[in-house]
């Protein structure tokens, strides 16, 4: 499989912890956690990265630590000033991964564990697992937050999906099992649980 096609480092664990189908809608409304590690993604950085991405038809988030949606359902996040994370369908990511890099453009390996958390009790989970007050953020500015959750460094995007508070997080895949299990334990205590991605994404 090509390097740009993501494999979930927690696939077996997720499969073993999914709620029964008849319980997933209720759990998703309260606090669902879903694995999105299998989405294709590409990372790059450097002084020429923004210009290189523009030449490939991608918009550039105007401010550091912000993101933009892409027409095909993907997203591009600007991490700091010159690093970018692009996630979306393979049809978008494969050409980026295969394109010759211009001067001042360096690849960033993205072997992330990527999760989505959503539901009415999301803020309660965040208060237990992270020091950032996500409620204070202006979601219209599309912020990207670099922080830690239960001791694991994460990149996080808060947003609203179908009117529900939602948080997308990416972390080093080697911490994926620990982060999934810990967040799932909290979600379970709050009346939620593990759901398939289409339930909340």
């Amino acid at each position: 499989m090509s390097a740009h096609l993501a494999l979930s480092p927690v696939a077996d664990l997720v499969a073993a912890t999914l709620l029964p189908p008849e319980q997933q809608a209720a759990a998703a409304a309260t606090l669902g956690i879903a694995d999105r590690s299998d989405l294709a993604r590409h990372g790059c950085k450097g002084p020429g990265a923004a210009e290189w991405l523009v030449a490939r038809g991608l918009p550039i988030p105007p401010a550091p630590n912000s993101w933009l949606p892409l027409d095909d359902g993907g997203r591009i996040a600007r991490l700091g000033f010159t690093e970018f994370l692009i996630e979306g369908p393979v049809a978008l990511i494969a050409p980026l991964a295969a394109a010759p890099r211009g001067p001042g453009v360096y690849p960033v390996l993205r072997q992330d564990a990527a999760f989505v958390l959503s539901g009415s009790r999301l803020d309660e989970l965040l208060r237990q697992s992270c020091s950032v007050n996500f409620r204070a953020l202006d979601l219209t500015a599309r912020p990207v937050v670099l922080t830690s959750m239960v001791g694991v460094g994460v990149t996080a995007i808060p947003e609203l999906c179908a009117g529900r508070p939602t948080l997308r997080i990416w972390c080093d895949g080697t911490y994926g099992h620990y982060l999934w299990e810990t967040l799932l334990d909290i979600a379970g205590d709050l009346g939620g649980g593990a759901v398939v991605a289409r339930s909340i994404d």
Side-chain angles (χ1 to χ4, degrees), residues 74-143:
R75 57 193 45 80
I76 179 170
R78 185 174 187 174
L79 313 178
F81 286 93
T82 64
E83 182 174 346
F84 297 88
L85 164 62
I86 305 97
E87 184 177 80
V90 172
L92 167 70
I93 301 302
L96 284 177
R101 291 186 298 274
V105 183
Y106 310 102
V108 177
L109 186 63
R110 301 297 319 198
Q111 293 182 324
D112 305 85
F115 307 139
V116 181
L117 299 125
S118 183
S120 61
R121 303 192 73 177
L122 174 60
D123 188 61
E124 293 173 68
L125 177 143
L126 293 175
R127 287 200 304 267
Q128 294 183 48
S129 61
C130 183
S131 61
V132 174
N133 180 7
F134 283 92
R135 289 177 303 164
L137 300 177
D138 177 8
L139 299 189
T140 63
R142 297 194 173 109

Side-chain angles (χ1 to χ4, degrees), residues 128-200:
Q128 294 183 48
S129 61
C130 183
S131 61
V132 174
N133 180 7
F134 283 92
R135 289 177 303 164
L137 300 177
D138 177 8
L139 299 189
T140 63
R142 297 194 173 109
V144 175
V145 179
L146 308 178
T147 184
S148 65
M149 296 182 75
V150 294
V152 176
V154 299
T155 299
I157 289 180
E159 57 184 335
L160 289 176
C161 289
R164 292 179 186 162
T166 300
L167 188 74
R168 299 178 183 277
I169 57 175
W170 295 262
C171 75
D172 186 313
T174 58
Y175 296 103
H177 277 73
Y178 167 73
L179 188 59
W180 175 270
E181 290 178 325
T182 306
L183 296 180
L184 181 60
D185 282 347
I186 299 171
D189 289 343
L190 295 171
V195 300
V196 294
R198 64 177 175 273
S199 297
I200 58 177

Side-chain angles (χ1 to χ4, degrees), residues 6-70:
L7 295 173
S8 173
V10 296
D12 292 344
L13 179 60
V14 170
T17 54
L18 281 176
L19 290 169
E22 65 272 13
Q23 296 178 22
Q24 292 203 15
T30 302
L31 183 53
I33 177 172
D35 180 30
R36 297 312 329 252
S37 306
D38 60 336
L39 289 175
R41 63 186 64 87
H42 180 75
C44 63
K45 66 179 180 180
E51 182 180 352
W52 183 79
L53 291 168
V54 168
R56 276 142 192 83
L58 289 170
I60 300 301
N65 299 325
S66 65
W67 68 282
L68 290 173
L70 301 175

